[in-house]
Amino acid sequence: MKRIIFVCGLSIILFGCNKNEKLSNVELTNNYLLFSSVENIPYSKLIRQQKIIGSDRQQYLSDDKGFIVSVDIDHVKITNDYTTKKSHFSIDNQYDLDLNMELDDKQNLLHLEDLAKKIEWSSTYDDQNRIIKIERISNPSTISDIQYENGNISRIVNTYILKMDLANVYTSSEEKIFLYNDKNQLDKVIIKFFDDKESKPTETKRCSFYGYNEQGDWTKSYCLKMNENFTYFNSRKIDY
């Protein structure tokens, strides 16, 4: 379930960017929350393509507005067409879905559903037009709660619910805490995993980001699991 990607999208013209400040565009952040990850949000300039190479393998392509049109993460692939309001989502041979996007009058994506109506996603926004919840309605189902602080995403809690039968339900969760440096660049992410039988995390991972380029984006990262000696290294190649 950790590989489940929450699929939605937006199609709104971006605001101007200042190279000396982190992008503050809400719609761009929403788009990365839904199709990518917080770790890959551009710092000061729109990113056309980025590749994560190392322990992880990820590739993202964006349009001229900065919104993600293609995602390739391990076994997961997503393509988005904001003009036709269509998306395609696949994971190995488990899912191969064509999806319809439902937007409101502010161009916020409220609902995403496959044509057979077997799986659907919905998103909730606050009064500042920021995504605060993403729900995947199926079995297993997923609920992601997003919190903000000082204009940054500060915490995300992903809850996974598997209904094995009418009497048995298994729940697990993942908590991600995001820390930033004095330049408002992503510095560290602490990830804790819980299951429904333990109040303490069953696993904790700490990731650090560094090697910032001239646009302020990180180009290197590593993650450490508590009580393990193995380190996960990644490099990030970016085309603007």
Side-chain angles (χ1 to χ4, degrees):
M1 287 185 289
K2 294 179 184 177
R3 295 189 299 178
I4 291 173
I5 302 298
F6 308 104
V7 182
C8 305
L10 298 166
S11 180
I12 302 175
I13 296 175
L14 294 176
F15 297 13
C17 301
N18 185 322
K19 286 188 176 183
N20 296 319
E21 297 179 0
K22 181 183 177 184
L23 285 171
S24 60
N25 181 263
V26 173
E27 289 78 17
L28 182 64
T29 298
N30 288 343
N31 186 262
Y32 269 78
L33 261 173
L34 293 162
F35 285 115
S36 175
S37 64
V38 177
E39 292 88 340
N40 298 321
I41 296 174
Y43 178 75
S44 67
K45 187 175 182 179
L46 298 183
I47 293 175
R48 293 282 188 166
Q49 178 176 267
Q50 51 182 309
K51 294 182 180 180
I52 313 299
I53 303 168
S55 299
D56 297 323
R57 186 189 65 83
Q58 306 174 26
Q59 183 171 343
Y60 307 92
L61 296 175
S62 302
D63 61 17
D64 58 2
K65 298 174 184 177
F67 294 109
I68 295 172
V69 296
S70 176
V71 176
D72 189 344
I73 306 176
D74 197 11
H75 301 279
V76 177
K77 292 186 179 180
I78 303 168
T79 56
N80 305 313
D81 189 327
Y82 301 102
T83 301
T84 62
K85 301 177 184 178
K86 301 289 185 182
S87 182
H88 185 80
F89 173 69
S90 63
I91 303 179
D92 289 337
N93 297 319
Q94 299 179 32
Y95 295 104
D96 189 16
L97 303 175
D98 291 310
L99 304 120
N100 292 320
M101 300 177 178
E102 178 188 340
L103 307 174
D104 66 9
D105 56 0
K106 296 180 181 179
Q107 295 299 299
N108 292 321
L109 195 139
L110 303 177
H111 193 77
L112 191 104
E113 186 175 67
D114 74 291
L115 300 182
K117 298 185 178 182
K118 294 180 179 178
I119 300 177
E120 57 184 306
W121 288 261
S122 64
S123 51
T124 303
Y125 298 79
D126 65 10
D127 56 4
Q128 298 181 53
N129 202 37
R130 303 177 304 186
I131 291 177
I132 56 173
K133 180 178 288 188
I134 304 167
E135 296 178 82
R136 179 182 185 269
I137 305 166
S138 64
N139 190 30
S141 61
T142 308
I143 301 173
S144 297
D145 292 295
I146 299 107
Q147 298 177 10
Y148 299 82
E149 185 176 342
N150 299 323
N152 293 316
I153 294 169
S154 59
R155 184 172 177 266
I156 298 177
V157 176
N158 299 313
T159 303
Y160 309 105
I161 303 168
L162 175 63
K163 296 180 180 179
M164 292 171 280
D165 54 45
L166 293 175
N168 295 293
V169 177
Y170 176 78
T171 302
S172 63
S173 64
E174 173 192 73
E175 179 185 27
K176 301 181 77 172
I177 300 169
F178 301 87
L179 304 174
Y180 302 84
N181 63 20
D182 56 3
K183 294 183 179 179
N184 218 27
Q185 296 164 309
L186 182 64
D187 181 39
K188 298 183 187 302
V189 177
I190 300 171
I191 307 170
K192 299 179 181 180
F193 301 97
F194 302 83
D195 65 27
D196 62 354
K197 298 178 181 179
E198 300 288 340
S199 59
K200 294 182 179 180
T202 57
E203 180 182 310
T204 300
K205 184 166 66 173
R206 298 175 183 270
C207 300
S208 297
F209 301 84
Y210 60 106
Y212 306 105
N213 63 18
E214 61 182 8
Q215 307 297 343
D217 292 303
W218 65 268
T219 61
K220 297 179 181 179
S221 70
Y222 68 88
C223 296
L224 292 170
K225 286 186 178 180
M226 298 297 290
N227 303 319
E228 289 190 13
N229 294 323
F230 187 78
T231 304
Y232 303 82
F233 285 100
N234 286 309
S235 62
R236 185 185 187 203
K237 181 180 179 182
I238 302 172
D239 295 323
Y240 295 98

